[in-house]
Amino acid sequence: MDSRLSLMNGARVLVVGDLILDRYWHGAAQRISPEAPVPVVRVEEVEERVGGAANVAANAAALAARVVLVGIAGADPAGARLADLCRAAAIEPVFATAADHETVVKLRVVSHNQQLVRLDFEKSPPAALGEAVAALVRQRLADCAVVVISDYAKGALGEVRTLIADARRAGKRVIVDPKGRDFARYAGASLLTPNLLEFETVVGACADLADLVARAEALCRHHDFEALLVTRGEAGMSLVRPG
């Protein structure tokens, strides 16, 4: 393992965000339905994976970090399955749940390595669950070295401003993978990691790298970010700090 990655060994990471159970139905499609012009897939294998913020947690755990995952799940079989998959990946699941809420599930039907359709099962959680997430984070701050926020705009981070402020007061660095146009809601974060499209959606099109750096520095100063890491596809990444 790269010596820099080995620094993750035993690191205490608190991941917070939107939880998703990724489900895949694999099978052969050898005929067209007589009911409609669609392929008929004979399902031969069902695969389930952790998704959303849970996938971020799994990546950290794979680098030997000690990971606690906080998010929203339903008190349903999908939520129980997601918790089991987390534990199998050496992640401690700490979920805010409600009997009337459903775990977010993304179901993909795959045939011959081709995704035919994706079905999303989700609904917005009540505000009380977002408040419960912030409370669970406060309880776990003392035990972590860094907070990673993974935003998929599914409702778990309704209290993200409070969450970031609590973490910073506790002396923790906060890394945010953002969603949407409102970067002000992440004010005070240590590091924001938008991709180029997300970044330009907020600041406007960048003419060149110098323009990107200037706009990133201005955004850092405006929202009190310590740094921005803009991922740029095949062009690599740009890490920008004010000054």
Side-chain angles (χ1 to χ4, degrees):
M1 180 182 290
D2 187 294
S3 61
R4 290 163 295 181
L5 294 181
S6 69
L7 295 174
M8 287 286 289
N9 194 350
R12 296 170 294 124
V13 179
L14 177 60
V15 178
V16 190
D18 297 295
L19 308 178
I20 300 170
L21 177 63
D22 283 332
R23 187 171 283 155
Y24 299 82
W25 289 357
H26 299 274
Q30 298 176 332
R31 63 189 179 93
I32 300 299
S33 171
E35 302 166 354
V38 295
V40 176
V41 178
R42 182 175 180 177
V43 177
E44 299 163 341
E45 179 187 357
V46 175
E47 179 187 6
E48 293 174 321
R49 304 178 190 169
V50 295
N55 183 55
V56 175
N59 289 333
L63 294 172
R66 292 164 47 197
V67 184
V68 174
L69 174 64
V70 177
I72 294 174
D76 55 14
R81 177 60 175 155
L82 184 58
D84 287 343
L85 289 171
C86 285
R87 283 186 281 265
I91 302 163
E92 180 184 351
V94 181
F95 297 167
T97 62
D100 60 348
H101 183 65
E102 300 172 2
T103 302
V104 177
V105 177
K106 294 181 183 289
L107 169 61
R108 299 164 178 86
V109 180
V110 181
S111 182
H112 306 294
N113 297 316
Q114 177 69 45
Q115 186 177 146
L116 302 182
V117 66
R118 191 183 88 183
L119 307 175
D120 289 3
F121 303 84
E122 62 180 83
K123 65 178 183 179
S124 298
L129 284 181
E131 295 167 2
V133 166
L136 289 170
V137 169
R138 281 193 292 272
Q139 294 172 15
R140 293 296 184 131
L141 280 176
D143 299 326
C144 75
V146 64
V147 178
V148 178
I149 296 175
S150 181
D151 195 347
Y152 281 76
K154 304 298 183 186
L157 295 169
E159 299 292 321
V160 68
R161 293 174 187 262
T162 300
L163 192 158
I164 292 172
D166 288 343
R168 298 299 279 159
R169 275 194 299 269
K172 311 299 180 180
R173 283 193 165 175
V174 180
I175 301 170
V176 180
D177 187 25
K179 191 76 170 180
R181 298 176 59 94
D182 183 15
F183 283 7
R185 65 197 300 261
Y186 310 117
S190 309
L191 176 69
L192 219 67
T193 64
N195 62 40
L196 182 60
L197 176 60
E198 291 168 333
F199 177 73
E200 290 188 324
T201 298
V202 173
V203 304
C206 299
D208 51 29
L209 182 58
D211 191 21
L212 182 149
V213 170
R215 291 173 189 249
E217 286 187 311
L219 199 62
C220 285
R221 288 192 293 268
H222 187 66
H223 296 307
D224 194 26
F225 301 141
E226 289 184 16
L228 272 168
L229 180 68
V230 182
T231 57
R232 301 164 54 216
E234 67 277 5
M237 298 181 284
S238 295
L239 177 64
V240 181
R241 298 178 177 133

